[in-house]
Amino acid sequence: MTAFRARLTEVDIRRLIKATDDDERAEAAHKLCRNMERAELDEDDRVAAQKILRLLANDAAELVRRAMAVTLKASDLIPNDVARKLAGDLDSIALPIIAASPAFSDEDLIEIVRAGSVVRQVAVAGRSRVSRDVATVLAEEGCEQAVRTVAANDNADLSEAALAAVVDRFAEAPEVLTAVAYRQVLPLSVTERLIQLASDAVREHLISRHAVAPETAIRLAQYARERTTVDLVDQAAVSADLAAFMTHLNARRVLNASLLLRGLARGQMAVFEHGLAELANTPHHRAWLMVHDAGPLGLKAIYDRAGLPPRLFQAFRAGVDTWRTLASEGIDTSSAYFREQMLERFLTQRPNVQRDDLAYLMERLDQSPSPALSAANAA
């Protein structure tokens, strides 16, 4: 094992083998493991190193075993049999390895979860990657703390069924529901259930961050006196199928000029295009051409065909022109900065809009990011 033995003096080896003081032997073990990890080992060296690790894993001194576990917790040098042995050791030795070692198979991790130790389940749940099989067992069988940890871990592959199991098991546990709600991606079915169960603050987050079914969006939007309401413009913008969302809004008679103007003024051009297409009974690609590529009369033609009020056309015209101007300046049209600038410029033109719409847009302007955040988004 020349590659790393050169970094280890005879004194270090002698200390590890012959020292009777646990602290001294642990220090020597730490140095040996650290140098093993740093060295470039060929296959023969790795085999020899792993033999030494097996000896260390059987050392009678807890400090020696812990020194190895902590130093090599995330190393691919530790073989599976050593990792399994350490995982069955005292918590001070097992937890670093369980939380980070790549040596475990999914079957190993599932066995650890099913053994029932709370702290070990939590260690599995917080790993940098949790496979779907392991995440499912945690969701279905793990303790509350472990389930909360895996739900908060966006690197855990939780299926829709697993998330549903979490909500079923912990419907009365606010911290678990909050952890699920703040995941980066949520299936629609899970979002819907959480809206019914979560606190007001979490419910507001779900509505602003994730799409909900059109029926739910309309119901929440129409009950303005409820503590939690939904902004249909925001929901349309995050919808996975915008055309279907608009069709549903139209069927419920809530797709109107007010909604489209609010969306356009907030920079949501796709909402405006799909809404026009739906109201005009026209394919989206044709509506897009009429808005963007059909000259000055194209917008008027599709607007009239959609049956929108003539008195509001100039406000829509101003919105489209403002959007084009900002886009031509090279600003990312999907950015928060673009939306903020769009709303500011639209309102400075004093558009002839209804009082309710103006109040809505002014309120959204008040909620826009700070100048510092806006500049960051623009960068």
Side-chain angles (χ1 to χ4, degrees), residues 60-97:
E62 176 188 344
L63 284 176
V64 172
R65 303 195 307 278
R66 176 167 170 73
M68 178 178 67
V70 171
T71 306
L72 298 178
K73 62 184 179 182
S75 173
D76 63 359
L77 190 59
I78 290 187
N80 177 264
D81 61 299
V82 173
R84 287 175 59 87
K85 182 174 181 60
L86 294 174
D89 211 322
L90 301 171
D91 284 348
S92 62
I93 297 164
L95 294 180
I97 290 290

PDB file of all heavy atoms in Angstrom, residues 60-97:
ATOM      1  N   ALA A  60     -11.956  -3.231  19.814  1.00  0.00           N
ATOM      2  CA  ALA A  60     -12.742  -3.210  21.048  1.00  0.00           C
ATOM      3  C   ALA A  60     -13.043  -1.804  21.524  1.00  0.00           C
ATOM      4  O   ALA A  60     -14.007  -1.580  22.268  1.00  0.00           O
ATOM      5  CB  ALA A  60     -11.999  -3.984  22.141  1.00  0.00           C
ATOM      6  N   ALA A  61     -12.223  -0.847  21.094  1.00  0.00           N
ATOM      7  CA  ALA A  61     -12.383   0.521  21.601  1.00  0.00           C
ATOM      8  C   ALA A  61     -13.420   1.296  20.791  1.00  0.00           C
ATOM      9  O   ALA A  61     -13.295   1.434  19.569  1.00  0.00           O
ATOM     10  CB  ALA A  61     -11.042   1.251  21.573  1.00  0.00           C
ATOM     11  N   GLU A  62     -14.429   1.809  21.480  1.00  0.00           N
ATOM     12  CA  GLU A  62     -15.452   2.604  20.804  1.00  0.00           C
ATOM     13  C   GLU A  62     -14.852   3.806  20.101  1.00  0.00           C
ATOM     14  O   GLU A  62     -15.254   4.163  18.986  1.00  0.00           O
ATOM     15  CB  GLU A  62     -16.488   3.064  21.822  1.00  0.00           C
ATOM     16  CG  GLU A  62     -17.549   3.993  21.245  1.00  0.00           C
ATOM     17  CD  GLU A  62     -18.452   4.580  22.312  1.00  0.00           C
ATOM     18  OE1 GLU A  62     -18.470   4.063  23.445  1.00  0.00           O
ATOM     19  OE2 GLU A  62     -19.143   5.570  22.009  1.00  0.00           O
ATOM     20  N   LEU A  63     -13.863   4.445  20.710  1.00  0.00           N
ATOM     21  CA  LEU A  63     -13.267   5.637  20.120  1.00  0.00           C
ATOM     22  C   LEU A  63     -12.591   5.329  18.789  1.00  0.00           C
ATOM     23  O   LEU A  63     -12.611   6.155  17.869  1.00  0.00           O
ATOM     24  CB  LEU A  63     -12.249   6.257  21.090  1.00  0.00           C
ATOM     25  CG  LEU A  63     -12.822   7.049  22.270  1.00  0.00           C
ATOM     26  CD1 LEU A  63     -11.686   7.512  23.179  1.00  0.00           C
ATOM     27  CD2 LEU A  63     -13.625   8.236  21.779  1.00  0.00           C
ATOM     28  N   VAL A  64     -11.997   4.167  18.672  1.00  0.00           N
ATOM     29  CA  VAL A  64     -11.330   3.788  17.426  1.00  0.00           C
ATOM     30  C   VAL A  64     -12.366   3.576  16.330  1.00  0.00           C
ATOM     31  O   VAL A  64     -12.216   4.062  15.202  1.00  0.00           O
ATOM     32  CB  VAL A  64     -10.476   2.518  17.630  1.00  0.00           C
ATOM     33  CG1 VAL A  64      -9.944   2.008  16.281  1.00  0.00           C
ATOM     34  CG2 VAL A  64      -9.314   2.802  18.574  1.00  0.00           C
ATOM     35  N   ARG A  65     -13.437   2.858  16.663  1.00  0.00           N
ATOM     36  CA  ARG A  65     -14.481   2.613  15.661  1.00  0.00           C
ATOM     37  C   ARG A  65     -15.159   3.923  15.254  1.00  0.00           C
ATOM     38  O   ARG A  65     -15.483   4.130  14.091  1.00  0.00           O
ATOM     39  CB  ARG A  65     -15.509   1.613  16.198  1.00  0.00           C
ATOM     40  CG  ARG A  65     -14.906   0.287  16.625  1.00  0.00           C
ATOM     41  CD  ARG A  65     -15.937  -0.806  16.818  1.00  0.00           C
ATOM     42  NE  ARG A  65     -17.018  -0.459  17.702  1.00  0.00           N
ATOM     43  CZ  ARG A  65     -16.979  -0.526  19.038  1.00  0.00           C
ATOM     44  NH1 ARG A  65     -15.862  -0.916  19.645  1.00  0.00           N
ATOM     45  NH2 ARG A  65     -18.034  -0.242  19.773  1.00  0.00           N
ATOM     46  N   ARG A  66     -15.346   4.799  16.223  1.00  0.00           N
ATOM     47  CA  ARG A  66     -15.969   6.082  15.905  1.00  0.00           C
ATOM     48  C   ARG A  66     -15.050   6.933  15.034  1.00  0.00           C
ATOM     49  O   ARG A  66     -15.516   7.616  14.111  1.00  0.00           O
ATOM     50  CB  ARG A  66     -16.326   6.836  17.183  1.00  0.00           C
ATOM     51  CG  ARG A  66     -16.879   8.230  16.913  1.00  0.00           C
ATOM     52  CD  ARG A  66     -17.524   8.863  18.116  1.00  0.00           C
ATOM     53  NE  ARG A  66     -17.826  10.267  17.877  1.00  0.00           N
ATOM     54  CZ  ARG A  66     -18.802  10.727  17.104  1.00  0.00           C
ATOM     55  NH1 ARG A  66     -19.593   9.871  16.474  1.00  0.00           N
ATOM     56  NH2 ARG A  66     -18.994  12.022  16.943  1.00  0.00           N
ATOM     57  N   ALA A  67     -13.758   6.908  15.307  1.00  0.00           N
ATOM     58  CA  ALA A  67     -12.816   7.673  14.493  1.00  0.00           C
ATOM     59  C   ALA A  67     -12.911   7.246  13.035  1.00  0.00           C
ATOM     60  O   ALA A  67     -12.908   8.078  12.121  1.00  0.00           O
ATOM     61  CB  ALA A  67     -11.393   7.486  15.017  1.00  0.00           C
ATOM     62  N   MET A  68     -13.013   5.941  12.799  1.00  0.00           N
ATOM     63  CA  MET A  68     -13.140   5.455  11.434  1.00  0.00           C
ATOM     64  C   MET A  68     -14.486   5.863  10.832  1.00  0.00           C
ATOM     65  O   MET A  68     -14.561   6.326   9.692  1.00  0.00           O
ATOM     66  CB  MET A  68     -13.004   3.930  11.387  1.00  0.00           C
ATOM     67  CG  MET A  68     -13.182   3.365   9.977  1.00  0.00           C
ATOM     68  SD  MET A  68     -12.982   1.582   9.869  1.00  0.00           S
ATOM     69  CE  MET A  68     -14.390   1.033  10.804  1.00  0.00           C
ATOM     70  N   ALA A  69     -15.561   5.708  11.599  1.00  0.00           N
ATOM     71  CA  ALA A  69     -16.898   6.000  11.079  1.00  0.00           C
ATOM     72  C   ALA A  69     -17.040   7.465  10.697  1.00  0.00           C
ATOM     73  O   ALA A  69     -17.611   7.805   9.650  1.00  0.00           O
ATOM     74  CB  ALA A  69     -17.956   5.611  12.106  1.00  0.00           C
ATOM     75  N   VAL A  70     -16.534   8.356  11.525  1.00  0.00           N
ATOM     76  CA  VAL A  70     -16.661   9.783  11.259  1.00  0.00           C
ATOM     77  C   VAL A  70     -15.762  10.203  10.109  1.00  0.00           C
ATOM     78  O   VAL A  70     -16.177  10.961   9.213  1.00  0.00           O
ATOM     79  CB  VAL A  70     -16.342  10.600  12.531  1.00  0.00           C
ATOM     80  CG1 VAL A  70     -16.265  12.084  12.205  1.00  0.00           C
ATOM     81  CG2 VAL A  70     -17.379  10.342  13.605  1.00  0.00           C
ATOM     82  N   THR A  71     -14.534   9.704  10.084  1.00  0.00           N
ATOM     83  CA  THR A  71     -13.577  10.110   9.060  1.00  0.00           C
ATOM     84  C   THR A  71     -13.980   9.618   7.677  1.00  0.00           C
ATOM     85  O   THR A  71     -13.814  10.321   6.678  1.00  0.00           O
ATOM     86  CB  THR A  71     -12.171   9.591   9.400  1.00  0.00           C
ATOM     87  OG1 THR A  71     -11.827  10.010  10.727  1.00  0.00           O
ATOM     88  CG2 THR A  71     -11.138  10.125   8.420  1.00  0.00           C
ATOM     89  N   LEU A  72     -14.550   8.416   7.612  1.00  0.00           N
ATOM     90  CA  LEU A  72     -14.873   7.808   6.309  1.00  0.00           C
ATOM     91  C   LEU A  72     -16.379   7.678   6.091  1.00  0.00           C
ATOM     92  O   LEU A  72     -16.819   6.855   5.296  1.00  0.00           O
ATOM     93  CB  LEU A  72     -14.213   6.427   6.207  1.00  0.00           C
ATOM     94  CG  LEU A  72     -12.681   6.411   6.261  1.00  0.00           C
ATOM     95  CD1 LEU A  72     -12.169   4.970   6.200  1.00  0.00           C
ATOM     96  CD2 LEU A  72     -12.094   7.239   5.135  1.00  0.00           C
ATOM     97  N   LYS A  73     -17.168   8.518   6.748  1.00  0.00           N
ATOM     98  CA  LYS A  73     -18.620   8.371   6.694  1.00  0.00           C
ATOM     99  C   LYS A  73     -19.184   8.471   5.283  1.00  0.00           C
ATOM    100  O   LYS A  73     -20.172   7.805   4.950  1.00  0.00           O
ATOM    101  CB  LYS A  73     -19.304   9.396   7.597  1.00  0.00           C
ATOM    102  CG  LYS A  73     -19.039  10.838   7.207  1.00  0.00           C
ATOM    103  CD  LYS A  73     -19.660  11.798   8.207  1.00  0.00           C
ATOM    104  CE  LYS A  73     -19.370  13.240   7.828  1.00  0.00           C
ATOM    105  NZ  LYS A  73     -19.938  14.185   8.824  1.00  0.00           N
ATOM    106  N   ALA A  74     -18.579   9.299   4.429  1.00  0.00           N
ATOM    107  CA  ALA A  74     -19.095   9.465   3.064  1.00  0.00           C
ATOM    108  C   ALA A  74     -18.163   8.867   2.021  1.00  0.00           C
ATOM    109  O   ALA A  74     -18.326   9.117   0.828  1.00  0.00           O
ATOM    110  CB  ALA A  74     -19.310  10.949   2.776  1.00  0.00           C
ATOM    111  N   SER A  75     -17.207   8.060   2.457  1.00  0.00           N
ATOM    112  CA  SER A  75     -16.199   7.516   1.543  1.00  0.00           C
ATOM    113  C   SER A  75     -16.685   6.251   0.849  1.00  0.00           C
ATOM    114  O   SER A  75     -17.390   5.424   1.444  1.00  0.00           O
ATOM    115  CB  SER A  75     -14.913   7.208   2.325  1.00  0.00           C
ATOM    116  OG  SER A  75     -13.978   6.543   1.500  1.00  0.00           O
ATOM    117  N   ASP A  76     -16.278   6.109  -0.417  1.00  0.00           N
ATOM    118  CA  ASP A  76     -16.596   4.869  -1.125  1.00  0.00           C
ATOM    119  C   ASP A  76     -15.565   3.789  -0.834  1.00  0.00           C
ATOM    120  O   ASP A  76     -15.607   2.706  -1.413  1.00  0.00           O
ATOM    121  CB  ASP A  76     -16.692   5.111  -2.633  1.00  0.00           C
ATOM    122  CG  ASP A  76     -15.373   5.574  -3.231  1.00  0.00           C
ATOM    123  OD1 ASP A  76     -14.373   5.734  -2.492  1.00  0.00           O
ATOM    124  OD2 ASP A  76     -15.324   5.781  -4.463  1.00  0.00           O
ATOM    125  N   LEU A  77     -14.630   4.068   0.072  1.00  0.00           N
ATOM    126  CA  LEU A  77     -13.616   3.089   0.436  1.00  0.00           C
ATOM    127  C   LEU A  77     -14.168   2.024   1.381  1.00  0.00           C
ATOM    128  O   LEU A  77     -13.718   0.881   1.385  1.00  0.00           O
ATOM    129  CB  LEU A  77     -12.425   3.806   1.094  1.00  0.00           C
ATOM    130  CG  LEU A  77     -11.149   3.005   1.337  1.00  0.00           C
ATOM    131  CD1 LEU A  77     -10.602   2.446   0.027  1.00  0.00           C
ATOM    132  CD2 LEU A  77     -10.098   3.878   2.018  1.00  0.00           C
ATOM    133  N   ILE A  78     -15.153   2.399   2.185  1.00  0.00           N
ATOM    134  CA  ILE A  78     -15.733   1.436   3.132  1.00  0.00           C
ATOM    135  C   ILE A  78     -16.580   0.413   2.371  1.00  0.00           C
ATOM    136  O   ILE A  78     -17.505   0.783   1.640  1.00  0.00           O
ATOM    137  CB  ILE A  78     -16.596   2.152   4.182  1.00  0.00           C
ATOM    138  CG1 ILE A  78     -15.711   2.949   5.130  1.00  0.00           C
ATOM    139  CG2 ILE A  78     -17.430   1.165   4.972  1.00  0.00           C
ATOM    140  CD1 ILE A  78     -16.432   3.563   6.304  1.00  0.00           C
ATOM    141  N   PRO A  79     -16.281  -0.886   2.511  1.00  0.00           N
ATOM    142  CA  PRO A  79     -17.072  -1.918   1.815  1.00  0.00           C
ATOM    143  C   PRO A  79     -18.411  -2.135   2.501  1.00  0.00           C
ATOM    144  O   PRO A  79     -18.619  -1.721   3.649  1.00  0.00           O
ATOM    145  CB  PRO A  79     -16.187  -3.157   1.919  1.00  0.00           C
ATOM    146  CG  PRO A  79     -15.366  -2.936   3.144  1.00  0.00           C
ATOM    147  CD  PRO A  79     -15.150  -1.452   3.256  1.00  0.00           C
ATOM    148  N   ASN A  80     -19.305  -2.799   1.816  1.00  0.00           N
ATOM    149  CA  ASN A  80     -20.660  -2.988   2.323  1.00  0.00           C
ATOM    150  C   ASN A  80     -20.689  -3.726   3.656  1.00  0.00           C
ATOM    151  O   ASN A  80     -21.439  -3.353   4.563  1.00  0.00           O
ATOM    152  CB  ASN A  80     -21.497  -3.749   1.287  1.00  0.00           C
ATOM    153  CG  ASN A  80     -22.900  -4.052   1.774  1.00  0.00           C
ATOM    154  OD1 ASN A  80     -23.169  -5.136   2.269  1.00  0.00           O
ATOM    155  ND2 ASN A  80     -23.795  -3.086   1.647  1.00  0.00           N
ATOM    156  N   ASP A  81     -19.874  -4.759   3.808  1.00  0.00           N
ATOM    157  CA  ASP A  81     -19.917  -5.529   5.053  1.00  0.00           C
ATOM    158  C   ASP A  81     -19.468  -4.700   6.246  1.00  0.00           C
ATOM    159  O   ASP A  81     -20.012  -4.825   7.347  1.00  0.00           O
ATOM    160  CB  ASP A  81     -19.073  -6.803   4.928  1.00  0.00           C
ATOM    161  CG  ASP A  81     -17.611  -6.507   4.643  1.00  0.00           C
ATOM    162  OD1 ASP A  81     -17.315  -5.892   3.607  1.00  0.00           O
ATOM    163  OD2 ASP A  81     -16.745  -6.907   5.456  1.00  0.00           O
ATOM    164  N   VAL A  82     -18.488  -3.819   6.030  1.00  0.00           N
ATOM    165  CA  VAL A  82     -18.047  -2.939   7.116  1.00  0.00           C
ATOM    166  C   VAL A  82     -19.126  -1.910   7.442  1.00  0.00           C
ATOM    167  O   VAL A  82     -19.408  -1.625   8.614  1.00  0.00           O
ATOM    168  CB  VAL A  82     -16.720  -2.243   6.743  1.00  0.00           C
ATOM    169  CG1 VAL A  82     -16.353  -1.195   7.791  1.00  0.00           C
ATOM    170  CG2 VAL A  82     -15.603  -3.270   6.606  1.00  0.00           C
ATOM    171  N   ALA A  83     -19.752  -1.339   6.415  1.00  0.00           N
ATOM    172  CA  ALA A  83     -20.817  -0.365   6.639  1.00  0.00           C
ATOM    173  C   ALA A  83     -21.966  -0.994   7.423  1.00  0.00           C
ATOM    174  O   ALA A  83     -22.514  -0.383   8.352  1.00  0.00           O
ATOM    175  CB  ALA A  83     -21.314   0.181   5.304  1.00  0.00           C
ATOM    176  N   ARG A  84     -22.334  -2.201   7.071  1.00  0.00           N
ATOM    177  CA  ARG A  84     -23.423  -2.890   7.780  1.00  0.00           C
ATOM    178  C   ARG A  84     -23.047  -3.148   9.239  1.00  0.00           C
ATOM    179  O   ARG A  84     -23.876  -3.007  10.137  1.00  0.00           O
ATOM    180  CB  ARG A  84     -23.767  -4.194   7.079  1.00  0.00           C
ATOM    181  CG  ARG A  84     -24.525  -3.997   5.755  1.00  0.00           C
ATOM    182  CD  ARG A  84     -24.735  -5.340   5.045  1.00  0.00           C
ATOM    183  NE  ARG A  84     -25.477  -6.260   5.878  1.00  0.00           N
ATOM    184  CZ  ARG A  84     -26.807  -6.338   5.926  1.00  0.00           C
ATOM    185  NH1 ARG A  84     -27.549  -5.511   5.185  1.00  0.00           N
ATOM    186  NH2 ARG A  84     -27.410  -7.215   6.710  1.00  0.00           N
ATOM    187  N   LYS A  85     -21.802  -3.535   9.448  1.00  0.00           N
ATOM    188  CA  LYS A  85     -21.358  -3.796  10.821  1.00  0.00           C
ATOM    189  C   LYS A  85     -21.406  -2.516  11.652  1.00  0.00           C
ATOM    190  O   LYS A  85     -21.895  -2.511  12.790  1.00  0.00           O
ATOM    191  CB  LYS A  85     -19.940  -4.365  10.812  1.00  0.00           C
ATOM    192  CG  LYS A  85     -19.411  -4.718  12.208  1.00  0.00           C
ATOM    193  CD  LYS A  85     -18.078  -5.399  12.129  1.00  0.00           C
ATOM    194  CE  LYS A  85     -17.590  -5.769  13.540  1.00  0.00           C
ATOM    195  NZ  LYS A  85     -18.533  -6.688  14.244  1.00  0.00           N
ATOM    196  N   LEU A  86     -20.914  -1.419  11.078  1.00  0.00           N
ATOM    197  CA  LEU A  86     -20.926  -0.153  11.800  1.00  0.00           C
ATOM    198  C   LEU A  86     -22.352   0.336  12.027  1.00  0.00           C
ATOM    199  O   LEU A  86     -22.652   0.980  13.039  1.00  0.00           O
ATOM    200  CB  LEU A  86     -20.129   0.902  11.030  1.00  0.00           C
ATOM    201  CG  LEU A  86     -18.620   0.635  10.916  1.00  0.00           C
ATOM    202  CD1 LEU A  86     -17.975   1.678  10.007  1.00  0.00           C
ATOM    203  CD2 LEU A  86     -17.960   0.638  12.286  1.00  0.00           C
ATOM    204  N   ALA A  87     -23.254   0.061  11.096  1.00  0.00           N
ATOM    205  CA  ALA A  87     -24.653   0.478  11.237  1.00  0.00           C
ATOM    206  C   ALA A  87     -25.337  -0.224  12.402  1.00  0.00           C
ATOM    207  O   ALA A  87     -26.351   0.258  12.923  1.00  0.00           O
ATOM    208  CB  ALA A  87     -25.417   0.219   9.950  1.00  0.00           C
ATOM    209  N   GLY A  88     -24.797  -1.368  12.797  1.00  0.00           N
ATOM    210  CA  GLY A  88     -25.351  -2.082  13.944  1.00  0.00           C
ATOM    211  C   GLY A  88     -24.665  -1.751  15.249  1.00  0.00           C
ATOM    212  O   GLY A  88     -24.970  -2.340  16.283  1.00  0.00           O
ATOM    213  N   ASP A  89     -23.724  -0.823  15.215  1.00  0.00           N
ATOM    214  CA  ASP A  89     -22.936  -0.452  16.388  1.00  0.00           C
ATOM    215  C   ASP A  89     -23.694   0.585  17.224  1.00  0.00           C
ATOM    216  O   ASP A  89     -24.875   0.874  16.979  1.00  0.00           O
ATOM    217  CB  ASP A  89     -21.587   0.088  15.927  1.00  0.00           C
ATOM    218  CG  ASP A  89     -20.456  -0.178  16.913  1.00  0.00           C
ATOM    219  OD1 ASP A  89     -20.724  -0.088  18.137  1.00  0.00           O
ATOM    220  OD2 ASP A  89     -19.335  -0.486  16.469  1.00  0.00           O
ATOM    221  N   LEU A  90     -23.011   1.167  18.184  1.00  0.00           N
ATOM    222  CA  LEU A  90     -23.594   2.229  18.999  1.00  0.00           C
ATOM    223  C   LEU A  90     -24.007   3.412  18.124  1.00  0.00           C
ATOM    224  O   LEU A  90     -23.435   3.635  17.056  1.00  0.00           O
ATOM    225  CB  LEU A  90     -22.565   2.692  20.040  1.00  0.00           C
ATOM    226  CG  LEU A  90     -22.054   1.625  21.015  1.00  0.00           C
ATOM    227  CD1 LEU A  90     -20.899   2.182  21.828  1.00  0.00           C
ATOM    228  CD2 LEU A  90     -23.181   1.162  21.924  1.00  0.00           C
ATOM    229  N   ASP A  91     -24.988   4.200  18.594  1.00  0.00           N
ATOM    230  CA  ASP A  91     -25.470   5.326  17.794  1.00  0.00           C
ATOM    231  C   ASP A  91     -24.349   6.285  17.410  1.00  0.00           C
ATOM    232  O   ASP A  91     -24.326   6.816  16.291  1.00  0.00           O
ATOM    233  CB  ASP A  91     -26.545   6.096  18.564  1.00  0.00           C
ATOM    234  CG  ASP A  91     -27.885   5.382  18.571  1.00  0.00           C
ATOM    235  OD1 ASP A  91     -28.044   4.419  17.792  1.00  0.00           O
ATOM    236  OD2 ASP A  91     -28.767   5.784  19.360  1.00  0.00           O
ATOM    237  N   SER A  92     -23.418   6.540  18.301  1.00  0.00           N
ATOM    238  CA  SER A  92     -22.339   7.484  18.014  1.00  0.00           C
ATOM    239  C   SER A  92     -21.487   7.031  16.839  1.00  0.00           C
ATOM    240  O   SER A  92     -20.854   7.851  16.167  1.00  0.00           O
ATOM    241  CB  SER A  92     -21.455   7.675  19.251  1.00  0.00           C
ATOM    242  OG  SER A  92     -20.839   6.448  19.619  1.00  0.00           O
ATOM    243  N   ILE A  93     -21.480   5.738  16.580  1.00  0.00           N
ATOM    244  CA  ILE A  93     -20.713   5.168  15.470  1.00  0.00           C
ATOM    245  C   ILE A  93     -21.612   4.949  14.262  1.00  0.00           C
ATOM    246  O   ILE A  93     -21.236   5.239  13.118  1.00  0.00           O
ATOM    247  CB  ILE A  93     -20.070   3.835  15.899  1.00  0.00           C
ATOM    248  CG1 ILE A  93     -19.075   4.076  17.036  1.00  0.00           C
ATOM    249  CG2 ILE A  93     -19.406   3.130  14.725  1.00  0.00           C
ATOM    250  CD1 ILE A  93     -18.671   2.825  17.778  1.00  0.00           C
ATOM    251  N   ALA A  94     -22.819   4.484  14.507  1.00  0.00           N
ATOM    252  CA  ALA A  94     -23.714   4.108  13.412  1.00  0.00           C
ATOM    253  C   ALA A  94     -24.275   5.300  12.652  1.00  0.00           C
ATOM    254  O   ALA A  94     -24.368   5.275  11.419  1.00  0.00           O
ATOM    255  CB  ALA A  94     -24.859   3.257  13.958  1.00  0.00           C
ATOM    256  N   LEU A  95     -24.655   6.350  13.361  1.00  0.00           N
ATOM    257  CA  LEU A  95     -25.391   7.440  12.719  1.00  0.00           C
ATOM    258  C   LEU A  95     -24.617   8.147  11.608  1.00  0.00           C
ATOM    259  O   LEU A  95     -25.193   8.428  10.549  1.00  0.00           O
ATOM    260  CB  LEU A  95     -25.879   8.441  13.767  1.00  0.00           C
ATOM    261  CG  LEU A  95     -26.925   7.898  14.746  1.00  0.00           C
ATOM    262  CD1 LEU A  95     -27.332   8.968  15.751  1.00  0.00           C
ATOM    263  CD2 LEU A  95     -28.146   7.373  14.010  1.00  0.00           C
ATOM    264  N   PRO A  96     -23.321   8.472  11.799  1.00  0.00           N
ATOM    265  CA  PRO A  96     -22.605   9.114  10.684  1.00  0.00           C
ATOM    266  C   PRO A  96     -22.579   8.254   9.427  1.00  0.00           C
ATOM    267  O   PRO A  96     -22.738   8.769   8.317  1.00  0.00           O
ATOM    268  CB  PRO A  96     -21.189   9.328  11.248  1.00  0.00           C
ATOM    269  CG  PRO A  96     -21.355   9.317  12.725  1.00  0.00           C
ATOM    270  CD  PRO A  96     -22.463   8.356  12.998  1.00  0.00           C
ATOM    271  N   ILE A  97     -22.395   6.954   9.611  1.00  0.00           N
ATOM    272  CA  ILE A  97     -22.333   6.036   8.471  1.00  0.00           C
ATOM    273  C   ILE A  97     -23.700   5.907   7.813  1.00  0.00           C
ATOM    274  O   ILE A  97     -23.851   5.972   6.582  1.00  0.00           O
ATOM    275  CB  ILE A  97     -21.822   4.657   8.927  1.00  0.00           C
ATOM    276  CG1 ILE A  97     -20.341   4.740   9.306  1.00  0.00           C
ATOM    277  CG2 ILE A  97     -22.039   3.611   7.848  1.00  0.00           C
ATOM    278  CD1 ILE A  97     -19.405   4.958   8.156  1.00  0.00           C
TER     279      ILE A  97
END
